[in-house]
Amino acid sequence: MSVYQYGKFLLFGDSITQYSSKQIIEPDNGQIHFSIAAALANDYQRKLEVITRGFDGYNSEQALHMLPEILKFEHDTKPVEEQIKIAWIFFGTNDSSVGGTHIQHVPIGRYAENMETLIRMLQSRGIKVIAIKPGTHDETLADEAKQRERAKRSNQLQKQYGDVLGEVCGKLGVPSVDLYDVFINSGLSSADLLSDGIHFTGTAYQLMYNELMKVISANYPDLHPDNIPLKLPPWREATLDKLKAYRSN
Amino acid sequence: MSVYQYGKFLLFGDSITQYSSKQIIEPDNGQIHFSIAAALANDYQRKLEVITRGFDGYNSEQALHMLPEILKFEHDTKPVEEQIKIAWIFFGTNDSSVGGTHIQHVPIGRYAENMETLIRMLQSRGIKVIAIKPGTHDETLADEAKQRERAKRSNQLQKQYGDVLGEVCGKLGVPSVDLYDVFINSGLSSADLLSDGIHFTGTAYQLMYNELMKVISANYPDLHPDNIPLKLPPWREATLDKLKAYRSN
């Protein structure tokens, strides 16, 4: 075991995960938005590697074929010290769409089965899992072109898919981030939270981050950044002799 | 070779690299600052993994003991597809300090030697290197406690160390980001660029990012994010058959 080996925090999901490093949402105004992946990378700096596997438009059915491969390369073929320690799994926003292009929609019972299978794949490897339930939806925020292009979604459906995921989590003993409730309870408007009715503003990602850190603290305190020691000594103590002692050959 | 394997973009340096994901610089005002690591992670999403190895207060002398270990675990022991393709190396801000605690200061000739050794370690593995020259300095921005605690630095010294690094880069055929010139030519004040006289504001990181992307475009166009294909198909084309075909067993 070397101090130069990093365990991993996997972020696995759809577009909302893919865009978790995006700071500039509207290119024309240049406003800097909060990035949840950057916040985690900053918290876990010199502690864990945060790796993002987010795939725009994908659902839990596609994820069934992806997660074994992600785990193969980021976990199974790696030394224990470089394996995934903690992961969020975040599907449901696309699964809960209806009509439109069939590939995005997954019936609610099948979604529950898929999420159970995916979570078990992580659990069987000793990875600490946090399930993220879908947030809220607001179709009035999409412009006409986007509305035409998109499969139909609704706030009500996202809530139902979140509820069924909550049941799976209860069965498997996995904590979840109740994003729907967090968004509703924030008292903020859809326009504050959603850039186009589906995707998150920095404000929404910040609410998600706050809740995620609470869930980590309550359920996996040993993996909270405050409880993981910093890799390598503070510079004043990082004498060349000490650094030599960390060298593996 | 699998589409699920990620090559890497290594960010290697001191505190300015360590803080490259930091969005909230002053905890009391909560203002969101631009993160260069997040910007790169967003650009290279589904293309390359951006990994940050920044160590607060460290210098090029300490880096000599660290880089072989970082390369061992992130490159040498990894399959070709998961190795480091491109790296920034950014030391000099601490090396150019004088007086104070000796460990931070590295004489300018020795700094040049160290940087040459470090860059050759990367080059010998076929990693594309970008050297970052130190930015500007402004000791008047540090509060009294920080001034007392810190080794003495100066704008003039940071410029000199940058110049000598430029000579090393010329000799080795490595492009550099001339951060000192970028900061001076921006016409912005020290207070706009430096949070405490040494560390960068989001504005400074954004200037650094813009210049870095220009350097990548001009020198390593095949590693510019625009020229790297997205991993896995767009969701409409990601049929289960296609995803099955990507599975390695």
Side-chain angles (χ1 to χ4, degrees), chain A residues 102-163:
Chain A
H102 178 68
I103 198 177
Q104 285 196 304
H105 173 64
V106 177
I108 193 161
R110 177 70 184 171
Y111 168 72
E113 279 173 35
N114 291 350
M115 293 306 287
E116 179 168 341
T117 306
L118 291 164
I119 292 170
R120 285 188 190 277
M121 279 182 207
L122 297 163
Q123 284 187 312
S124 69
R125 288 165 171 87
I127 298 167
K128 307 297 185 193
V129 186
I130 300 154
I132 319 277
K133 296 183 189 176
T136 53
H137 182 78
D138 189 337
E139 66 182 294
T140 65
L141 290 173
D143 60 31
E144 273 185 54
K146 276 188 182 157
Q147 281 190 41
R148 266 198 308 279
E149 176 211 12
R150 276 180 183 161
K152 202 91 185 148
R153 287 165 169 81
S154 80
N155 214 15
Q156 187 56 26
L157 278 168
Q158 292 200 188
K159 166 91 172 104
Q160 283 170 18
Y161 276 64
D163 287 345

Side-chain angles (χ1 to χ4, degrees), chain B residues 145-205:
Chain B
K146 276 187 183 157
Q147 281 191 42
R148 267 199 308 279
E149 175 211 12
R150 278 180 182 162
K152 201 93 184 146
R153 288 165 168 81
S154 80
N155 212 16
Q156 186 57 25
L157 278 167
Q158 292 200 189
K159 166 91 173 105
Q160 283 170 18
Y161 276 63
D163 286 346
V164 87
L165 176 56
E167 289 166 27
V168 171
C169 288
K171 180 174 161 189
L172 302 179
V174 160
S176 61
V177 171
D178 293 314
L179 217 46
Y180 185 93
D181 288 352
V182 168
F183 285 4
I184 294 290
N185 295 338
S186 72
L188 294 169
S189 72
S190 289
D192 288 331
L193 297 167
L194 304 170
S195 62
D196 60 1
I198 294 176
H199 297 106
F200 293 3
T201 61
T203 304
Y205 278 119

